[in-house]
Amino acid sequence: MTEKLSEEALMALKIAFSYMPKAIEVNKYEYGDNYQKVLEHIEIVREMLLLNDVDPEEVYGEVNADDAPNSCY
């Protein structure tokens, strides 16, 4: 899929991604036998964000501007 998402769909994806666990937080202890599937889902969403020219590392701050830490650089 190489089509860009609409602005509304992209914003919805950003919001959903901001609530997803970080890949480093996903382990077998917390997620059981489904932990690999959770990691795959996180990667799929990250790839879709990147395909739409969005840096996944900046999404939380964009969606939750009031809650994001200030940049120090």
Side-chain angles (χ1 to χ4, degrees):
M1 178 179 190
T2 58
E3 273 186 46
K4 300 280 183 165
L5 296 173
S6 70
E7 287 298 317
E8 294 83 13
L10 185 56
M11 182 52 78
L13 186 64
K14 289 177 183 180
I15 292 168
F17 184 72
S18 71
Y19 288 96
M20 292 180 82
K22 304 289 183 225
I24 197 166
E25 299 170 345
V26 177
N27 58 57
K28 192 171 183 174
Y29 177 75
E30 292 287 329
Y31 290 87
D33 292 335
N34 289 331
Y35 80 100
Q36 278 301 120
K37 192 64 151 176
V38 173
L39 289 172
E40 290 172 14
H41 290 167
I42 293 169
E43 188 57 32
I44 290 168
V45 174
R46 287 179 61 86
E47 288 175 13
M48 186 56 63
L49 288 169
L50 290 169
L51 285 172
N52 282 272
D53 303 320
V54 175
D55 181 355
E57 301 304 321
E58 301 293 326
V59 168
Y60 184 85
E62 182 182 337
V63 172
N64 301 293
D66 296 340
D67 191 32
N70 292 334
S71 175
C72 61
Y73 58 92

